[in-house]
C-alpha cells in the first residue's frame, strides 16, 4: 500500500462513498471538457468578424465558448451546494440514522477522529476539484480577454454573482463552509433528508447574503462630474446625481419617481452626476475579505459540530 493510499477510517470512508467521488470527478471532467472543446473550436474558427461564412462560424463558436465558460463558472459556484448535501446526508446523517457508526467506534476509533477523518476526506476531494475549476476558468478569461475582439467571445463580467466566487480563493472558502455546515446539520438533525435540506438552505442562504453585501466589503471609489468613468471592467455600486444641497439621489430613486421627471433625467449645472465603483484592482481585496469572513463562519460551524458530537456521544 503506497504512502498516498488512504488508511484506516479514511480508507473506509473512501471505499464506502466511491460512487459519489466518481460522480464528482465526472462533473469536473465534463465541465473542463466542454470548455476545452469550445476553446479548440474558437481557435479553428478564428476571431473573424467579416460577413459571410467566416462570420457565421465565428459567431457560432463564440456563443458555444461563452456557454462553456459560463458552465465552468457555474459548476464552481454550485459545487458547495453539492458538497453540503453529500456531507449532511450520505456522509454523516445516514450513518447516525442507521446506527452503522457504532461499528467504527468499536474499532478503536474515537467519535472525534471518526468525524474529523470524514470531513478531511470530503474537504480534500472537493478543494482539489474546486482549485482545478478555478485555475481553468482564470486561465480561460486571461487568454480570452487578451485576444483581439475579446468581447465577441466572452461577456462574463468579473463582478457577476456567478463569476466572482469562481475566480479566486473565495471558492475554496465556500467549500470549507459547505463541509462544516453539512456536518453541523447532520449532527443536530440526525436524519438524512432533513439534514440535507437544512444544510442546503443554510449554505445557499450564506451565499446569497454575501452576494448581496459583497460590493460593500471594501470601500468603493467615488467619481463626480467630469471624473465619472465609464467602462466594461468597472463594477458600479451606485450611480446618480448630487443635488444642490449636497444630498444624493440614486438612479433607483429616480426610477421610482419617474426617470424623465427626476433630477437624473434633467441637465442642469446645479446637478452633478456621481458614481461609486470598484475597479478591477479591488478584486483581490474583496476576495480576501469575503473569504476571511466565510472561513470564520466555517470554523465556528466546525467547533459547534464537535461540541455537539462530544455532548451527545461523549
Amino acid at each position: 500500500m503506497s504512502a498516498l493510499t488512504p488508511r484506516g477510517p479514511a480508507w473506509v470512508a473512501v471505499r464506502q462513498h466511491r460512487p459519489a467521488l466518481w460522480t464528482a470527478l465526472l462533473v469536473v471532467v465534463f465541465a473542463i471538457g466542454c470548455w476545452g472543446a469550445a476553446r479548440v473550436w474558437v481557435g479553428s474558427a478564428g476571431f473573424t468578424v467579416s460577413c459571410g461564412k467566416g462570420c457565421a462560424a465565428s459567431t457560432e463558436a463564440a456563443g458555444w465558448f461563452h456557454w462553456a465558460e459560463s458552465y465552468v463558472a457555474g459548476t464552481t459556484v454550485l459545487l458547495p451546494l453539492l458538497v453540503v448535501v453529500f456531507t449532511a446526508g450520505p456522509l454523516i446523517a445516514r450513518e447516525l440514522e442507521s446506527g452503522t457508526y457504532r461499528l467504527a467506534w468499536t474499532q478503536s476509533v474515537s467519535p472525534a477522529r471518526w468525524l474529523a477523518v470524514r470531513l478531511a476526506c470530503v474537504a480534500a476531494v472537493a478543494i482539489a476539484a474546486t482549485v482545478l475549476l478555478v485555475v481553468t476558468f482564470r486561465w480561460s478569461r486571461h487568454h480570452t480577454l487578451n485576444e483581439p475582439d475579446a468581447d465577441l467571445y466572452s461577456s462574463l463580467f468579473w463582478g457577476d454573482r456567478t463569476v466572482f466566487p469562481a475566480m479566486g480563493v473565495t471558492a475554496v472558502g465556500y467549500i470549507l463552509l459547505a463541509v462544516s455546515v453539512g456536518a453541523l446539520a447532520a449532527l443536530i438533525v440526525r436524519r438524512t433528508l432533513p439534514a440535507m435540506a437544512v444544510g442546503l438552505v443554510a449554505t445557499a442562504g450564506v451565499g446569497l447574503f454575501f452576494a448581496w453585501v459583497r460590493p460593500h466589503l471594501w470601500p468603493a471609489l467615488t467619481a463626480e462630474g467630469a471624473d465619472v468613468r465609464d467602462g466594461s471592467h468597472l463594477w458600479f455600486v451606485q450611480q446618480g446625481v448630487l443635488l444642490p444641497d449636497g444630498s444624493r439621489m440614486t438612479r433607483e430613486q429616480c426610477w421610482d419617481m419617474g426617470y424623465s421627471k427626476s433630477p437624473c433625467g434633467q441637465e442642469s449645472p446645479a446637478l452633478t452626476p456621481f458614481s461609486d465603483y470598484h475597479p478591477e484592482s479591488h478584486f483581490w481585496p474583496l476576495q480576501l475579505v469575503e473569504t476571511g469572513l466565510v472561513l470564520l463562519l466555517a470554523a465556528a460551524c466546525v467547533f459547534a459540530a464537535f461540541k455537539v458530537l462530544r455532548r451527545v456521544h461523549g
Side-chain angles (χ1 to χ4, degrees), residues 119 142 158 188 221 257 271 276 295:
L119 297 187
H142 172 75
W158 66 272
I188 292 176
L221 301 181
M257 65 183 302
L271 300 174
D276 294 337
L295 289 178

Side-chain angles (χ1 to χ4, degrees), residues 68-297:
E69 199 175 44
S70 300
Y71 182 74
V72 173
T75 301
T76 309
V77 174
L78 294 178
L79 190 58
L81 301 183
L82 299 178
V83 171
V84 71
V85 167
F86 172 73
T87 304
L91 188 67
I92 299 177
R94 187 168 64 187
E95 295 214 6
L96 295 176
E97 187 176 16
S98 63
T100 55
Y101 66 93
R102 296 188 182 94
L103 178 61
W105 294 1
T106 59
Q107 305 298 320
S108 301
V109 178
S110 66
R113 186 186 176 196
W114 173 83
L115 179 60
V117 168
R118 289 176 171 270
L119 297 187
C121 288
V122 69
V125 174
I127 288 175
T130 300
V131 170
L132 185 58
L133 289 169
V134 169
V135 170
T136 300
F137 184 54
R138 286 190 61 86
W139 186 90
S140 174
R141 289 194 82 252
H142 172 75
H143 284 270
T144 302
L145 293 176
N146 285 289
E147 294 278 5
D149 301 315
D151 293 338
L152 178 66
Y153 287 87
S154 180
S155 59
L156 299 181
F157 174 59
W158 66 272
D160 286 345
R161 292 184 176 185
T162 58
V163 174
F164 182 87
M167 291 179 60
V169 293
T170 301
V172 176
Y174 279 108
I175 288 294
L176 295 175
L177 175 69
V179 173
S180 61
V181 169
L184 182 59
L187 290 167
I188 292 176
V189 180
R190 298 177 62 84
R191 294 179 59 193
T192 304
L193 291 179
M196 292 167 66
V198 170
L200 180 63
V201 171
T203 304
V206 172
L208 291 174
F209 171 77
F210 276 104
W212 177 53
V213 303
R214 183 172 295 142
H216 310 289
L217 295 178
W218 192 258
L221 301 181
T222 299
E224 298 179 0
D227 294 330
V228 172
R229 304 176 63 184
D230 185 20
S232 58
H233 300 297
L234 299 180
W235 184 359
F236 290 102
V237 179
Q238 194 174 77
Q239 291 180 293
V241 295
L242 294 174
L243 302 179
D245 61 0
S247 61
R248 286 184 165 195
M249 178 166 285
T250 65
R251 285 190 174 181
E252 290 77 10
Q253 294 172 323
C254 290
W255 282 112
D256 289 341
M257 65 183 302
Y259 194 86
S260 60
K261 299 178 181 180
S262 69
C264 298
Q266 301 176 12
E267 294 185 5
S268 171
L271 300 174
T272 305
F274 76 89
S275 292
D276 294 337
Y277 65 94
H278 290 294
E280 280 194 288
S281 60
H282 285 189
F283 171 78
W284 281 112
L286 288 166
Q287 277 268 330
L288 294 176
V289 171
E290 182 173 349
T291 302
L293 295 175
V294 171
L295 289 178
L296 284 176
L297 185 57

